[in-house]
Amino acid sequence: MTFSSLTVSLKPEITLSPVDGNILLQSSRRKLTFHQPEPGLKTALDALKQGTQTPEQLQTLVLETDGTQVREKFDAYLNRLIELGWICHAIPPSSPELSPLAIAIPMVGDYYFDCPEIDWDAIAFTLSRFAYLHQVEGEMVLESPLTKGKIKFSDWRGPGLVSQLSQPQTAASLSQEIPGITEEIAQQFLSLLFAAQMLSASFASPVEEDEEFESEEATPPLVFWEFHDLLFHSRSRLGRHNNPLGAIFPYVGKIDP
């Protein structure tokens, strides 16, 4: 089970509208027009709004309906939408009426979300020392000053799995920590967090020194940063978040001076 098993969806604030045979995708700042899209491509774009399909499923849909050339065009479109920060990735729920266990949400553009093929027997993962879990409007959210996205959890199991990552965990060991979490779900969970740059990777068993992963504790310039310094540095500047910034006066009229 790999990164490709995650579902993809448009962010809720991205609108999709049919206009004179075209499809218009629009955010508060920009819009993209797909001129006279082929039937399979149109269906795939519509499916992105539903958020129930994986990239492979969408690629197959386009390939079977429109052929290889349009499938390749869809791949390029999807990569562009990810780069714009318009695409969320989620662990598919076990049934349609349930919410995803975890969903990665971009906060800004120039977004990067990718996960290499993982040898699940050989690789262990640990939570990045820069990642932090907090409550936002009644939901638990995982963020990091290293990344341009955040991860929301639908119930207690997500934060529970995160807590286990204070120590190195393989997918097999992580699946034993929380009831109802299979090894397949653990692989999806680790893929999501690793692609979102929330994890550090290491070999599960000792290897030769020249084969080891570079850790945050030994990689310049991260080794020089403390958690609180990097968090303040990233959140007091534009670029890695979508929080209000500057003289926004949020409490005018609410709290007396």
Side-chain angles (χ1 to χ4, degrees):
M1 188 60 59
T2 64
F3 161 68
S4 61
S5 66
L6 303 175
T7 59
V8 287
S9 63
L10 289 170
K11 291 174 65 175
E13 59 265 35
I14 305 300
T15 61
L16 184 151
S17 308
V19 180
D20 298 328
N22 303 324
I23 289 183
L24 177 66
L25 294 183
Q26 189 167 5
S27 71
S28 60
R29 295 188 174 184
R30 67 185 303 166
K31 61 182 179 181
L32 293 177
T33 301
F34 296 84
H35 295 281
Q36 304 297 317
E38 293 83 356
L41 178 57
K42 181 179 183 299
T43 302
L45 292 172
D46 288 336
L48 282 176
K49 196 62 182 175
Q50 305 302 319
T52 59
Q53 304 290 313
T54 67
E56 284 188 353
Q57 290 171 329
L58 295 175
Q59 289 166 349
T60 300
L61 186 156
V62 175
L63 177 63
E64 293 178 348
T65 307
D66 300 330
T68 302
Q69 187 174 0
V70 181
R71 197 287 306 273
E72 292 174 351
K73 185 163 62 173
F74 170 75
D75 291 347
Y77 289 154
L78 182 59
N79 288 333
R80 178 57 177 155
L81 293 174
I82 292 172
E83 183 182 340
L84 287 172
W86 286 13
I87 296 293
C88 301
H89 293 79
I91 298 173
S94 56
S95 59
E97 64 272 11
L98 297 177
S99 298
L101 173 65
I103 180 169
I105 304 171
M107 291 191 285
V108 293
D110 195 21
Y111 179 67
Y112 179 82
F113 187 94
D114 192 24
C115 185
E117 290 294 325
I118 296 171
D119 184 344
W120 294 108
D121 295 325
I123 306 300
F125 297 91
T126 309
L127 189 68
S128 166
R129 69 185 180 94
F130 296 105
Y132 62 100
L133 186 67
H134 62 137
Q135 180 271 131
V136 180
E137 297 180 349
E139 294 181 301
M140 296 304 293
V141 178
L142 185 67
E143 296 188 57
S144 168
L146 295 177
T147 183
K148 296 181 178 181
K150 58 187 175 183
I151 296 177
K152 287 187 177 182
F153 302 105
S154 61
D155 59 44
W156 65 271
R157 295 175 301 162
L161 290 168
V162 170
S163 71
Q164 298 300 318
L165 290 167
S166 61
Q167 299 294 322
Q169 299 281 356
T170 63
S173 65
L174 187 63
S175 66
Q176 299 172 12
E177 302 295 340
I178 303 292
I181 299 298
T182 64
E183 188 168 346
E184 177 181 336
I185 294 174
Q187 290 178 4
Q188 293 172 331
F189 187 84
L190 292 171
S191 293
L192 184 77
L193 268 63
F194 192 57
Q197 299 173 270
M198 300 291 182
L199 301 178
S200 295
S202 61
F203 286 103
S205 57
V207 295
E208 296 296 328
E209 184 175 348
D210 60 356
E211 294 185 71
E212 292 183 357
F213 286 94
E214 289 189 350
S215 70
E216 293 175 343
E217 304 297 334
T219 305
L222 293 180
V223 67
F224 303 115
W225 285 94
E226 294 295 331
F227 164 75
H228 58 282
D229 290 328
L230 188 57
L231 180 60
F232 178 79
H233 178 81
S234 67
R235 291 304 188 259
S236 60
R237 293 162 172 79
L238 293 172
R240 290 184 176 268
H241 64 92
N242 58 355
N243 301 324
L245 188 68
I248 58 175
F249 305 109
Y251 299 108
V252 170
K254 298 179 181 179
I255 298 177
D256 293 333

